[in-house]
Amino acid sequence: MVLELYTWGPAFGLPSIDPQCLATIAYLSQALPLRDEWVLIPISDPTVSPNNELPALKSGTTWVTGFASIVDYLKKYSANHWDLDVDLDAQRKADLIAYASFVESRVQALFDVSFYVSTENYVAVTRPSYAEILYWPQQWTLPSKIRAKATKRSAYLGLSSLDVDSTDTQSEAPEKPNPHSLPRSLVAKHKDTVTSLLRQSIHQSQFKLDALTSDYFEPLERLLNSKAFLLSERQPTSLDCLVIGYLSPVLWSKLPRAWMKSSLEQSFPTLAQYVLRLGTDAFGPSDSPSAILAGQHDNHNSSESRLPWQAPEPPRVSALIHSVLDSVCENTPGIHLLRGKQSSHNSVIEMDETAQRRERARRREFYSQAAAVGAGISAFVGYLFWEGIVKLPPRRVLGRDQKSFGPAGAMLGIYSGH
């Protein structure tokens, strides 16, 4: 049986735009070297999985979501044959758990700030990258939702001022000449001190970013030291795949505000070279997103690609209608309360035919309830107008002169006897 890995689509010259998806792809490319054992489907639609999450691994009727859960499932499914951590002793496994938690919490927050919180990076790079891999109408709705989640995840860092990049841009704009002002040569130039610089929000954020990148990258470079991999000399582990997933986009992308990349390359060159080496080995050469989504790598026996690509099927009309209704219901006051919890907390879900029928029935029930609520609100509003409880303001009919000339027309109307 061939395993199917559903992920967010490619970006930045990498097989996915999402760090968790990249980490999962790196793990499968190392643990399952035979291409006929799995396929990579850049679906870019989280609704394909029962709990609306990507990456999602489908094995028969079983769905597994999230990097850690997929790795654990592969270990059990293969009786440790696909276990990259099998040779680690107890101490190294404890280190793996600690560092994996560190990466998924701390480095994730830095990634969110760089790619989503920073308005300039989001508008120039991140949002267009999503638009290239998403279908209508998701390309208009999903990026903003993902950004909102990323902003919430990284809020504890206190770097929300990076969301106002325009402030920094405006401060650098040249001033317009004022004929009544003194000549520039006679005006005393203001000299910035360290204190005055730190009082500015953008400089406060940059100062804090430099400290955070040092705090977060230094432990990883110290763990790597002079070894080929983080925890082993022989082969990469799941921790290597996780680090590659989060740091590869930092080095591969071309962000306008590339402070994370600059810190990694200048202050931690050993870690940067390690990420480039393992990322190239795990992902191989990558085509443009349009080429991959068009199915040019559909033949995963081809030697051109390191990964077993399989082009996703175009969305059906029913799926597009469901996406539109889902977005409307989510943004309609009152109706979104009927939704309840769309995703399950379980990362491993069995979806046989009976479970799929239950899911379809649940969706039909939700849309029926939403339609009933909408009809009730419309009937109530109509009743208010019918009984005269709510009235529209009377329409004001203006004279021809008044309508044509505004205040001047009103004045002329007085003189003309209207």
Side-chain angles (χ1 to χ4, degrees):
M1 180 174 58
V2 178
L3 301 175
E4 300 175 1
L5 180 62
Y6 294 87
T7 65
W8 289 99
F12 321 130
L14 294 169
S16 180
I17 194 173
D18 180 72
Q20 287 270 318
C21 292
L22 287 173
T24 308
I25 294 171
Y27 189 92
L28 265 72
S29 69
Q30 299 292 331
L32 285 73
L34 299 179
R35 298 193 192 183
D36 55 357
E37 294 175 324
W38 66 292
V39 292
L40 175 59
I41 307 174
I43 190 71
S44 299
D45 183 6
T47 61
V48 71
S49 68
N51 56 359
N52 292 349
E53 291 182 9
L54 294 176
L57 182 71
K58 184 181 180 184
S59 175
T61 59
T62 302
W63 285 88
V64 190
T65 56
F67 171 74
S69 299
I70 291 175
V71 169
D72 290 340
Y73 177 81
L74 290 175
K75 293 177 181 179
K76 297 175 182 177
Y77 180 82
S78 64
N80 294 329
H81 182 67
W82 295 335
D83 186 0
L84 295 180
D85 310 326
V86 67
D87 294 331
L88 299 180
D89 56 23
Q91 179 60 45
R92 289 297 186 183
K93 288 183 179 179
D95 292 340
L96 186 149
I97 295 173
Y99 277 96
S101 176
F102 172 80
V103 171
E104 290 186 315
S105 59
R106 305 296 190 223
V107 181
Q108 170 75 70
L110 279 184
F111 182 90
D112 290 338
V113 170
S114 180
F115 284 82
Y116 295 97
V117 176
S118 174
T119 302
E120 188 173 351
N121 289 346
Y122 174 76
V123 172
V125 176
T126 308
R127 187 171 62 185
S129 298
Y130 273 108
E132 195 170 358
I133 62 177
L134 292 174
Y135 291 99
W136 182 91
Q138 291 181 336
Q139 59 188 191
W140 298 102
T141 58
L142 273 181
S144 59
K145 293 180 183 178
I146 297 172
R147 190 192 188 196
K149 292 180 180 179
T151 303
K152 186 177 180 180
R153 277 196 307 260
S154 59
Y156 74 94
L157 293 177
L159 296 170
S160 59
S161 59
L162 284 181
D163 192 25
V164 287
D165 292 326
S166 57
T167 302
D168 187 52
T169 304
Q170 292 172 0
S171 65
E172 296 175 357
E175 298 180 358
K176 294 182 179 180
N178 185 355
H180 302 290
S181 62
L182 292 174
R184 290 182 178 271
S185 59
L186 299 180
V187 178
K189 295 183 179 180
H190 171 72
K191 295 183 178 180
D192 288 326
T193 63
V194 175
T195 304
S196 64
L197 286 175
L198 292 180
R199 284 177 181 170
Q200 303 175 29
S201 61
I202 191 66
H203 291 288
Q204 287 177 337
S205 298
Q206 188 63 50
F207 185 80
K208 191 170 185 178
L209 284 173
D210 293 339
L212 287 174
T213 52
S214 297
D215 290 344
Y216 294 171
F217 291 159
E218 186 176 357
L220 294 175
E221 183 159 276
R222 188 169 58 248
L223 178 65
L224 179 63
N225 199 2
S226 58
K227 301 191 300 295
F229 308 103
L230 291 173
L231 296 174
S232 173
E233 284 285 1
R234 295 181 60 252
Q235 66 177 19
T237 63
S238 60
L239 178 60
D240 294 282
C241 298
L242 193 62
V243 171
I244 294 306
Y246 278 94
L247 296 187
S248 291
V250 175
L251 294 178
W252 263 263
S253 62
K254 297 179 180 179
L255 301 177
R257 292 183 178 272
W259 50 267
M260 201 172 175
K261 180 179 181 179
S262 299
S263 176
L264 189 58
E265 291 179 335
Q266 297 174 10
S267 302
F268 306 95
T270 302
L271 183 62
Q273 291 299 321
Y274 154 83
V275 172
L276 290 173
R277 173 171 55 86
L278 261 67
T280 303
D281 180 64
F283 306 133
S286 178
D287 263 329
S288 65
S290 57
I292 294 174
L293 296 177
Q296 295 186 9
H297 281 298
D298 200 15
N299 180 15
H300 58 267
N301 291 322
S302 172
S303 59
E304 296 180 0
S305 176
R306 174 97 166 82
L307 303 172
W309 291 104
Q310 178 175 307
E313 296 182 359
R316 299 185 298 272
V317 175
S318 59
L320 294 176
I321 295 175
H322 167 72
S323 179
V324 173
L325 292 176
D326 199 54
S327 178
V328 171
C329 292
E330 184 175 350
N331 292 281
T332 302
I335 295 181
H336 74 280
L337 298 177
L338 298 172
R339 175 185 302 274
K341 294 183 178 179
Q342 288 291 313
S343 60
S344 171
H345 291 290
N346 298 326
S347 56
V348 181
I349 301 177
E350 291 285 346
M351 285 291 287
D352 53 13
E353 188 62 30
T354 303
Q356 293 177 8
R357 284 197 299 268
R358 285 199 301 267
E359 177 66 16
R360 288 193 292 267
R362 186 192 64 79
R363 289 184 178 181
R364 285 195 298 269
E365 180 182 3
F366 167 71
Y367 289 128
S368 299
Q369 292 176 349
V373 171
I377 294 175
S378 300
F380 178 70
V381 173
Y383 171 79
L384 294 178
F385 282 106
W386 178 263
E387 293 293 332
I389 300 175
V390 177
K391 297 181 179 180
L392 293 174
R395 184 179 180 183
R396 185 180 179 185
V397 180
L398 300 176
R400 185 182 63 181
D401 294 335
Q402 295 172 338
K403 188 175 180 181
S404 302
F405 301 102
M411 183 181 301
L412 293 175
I414 295 175
Y415 290 106
S416 61
H418 292 295

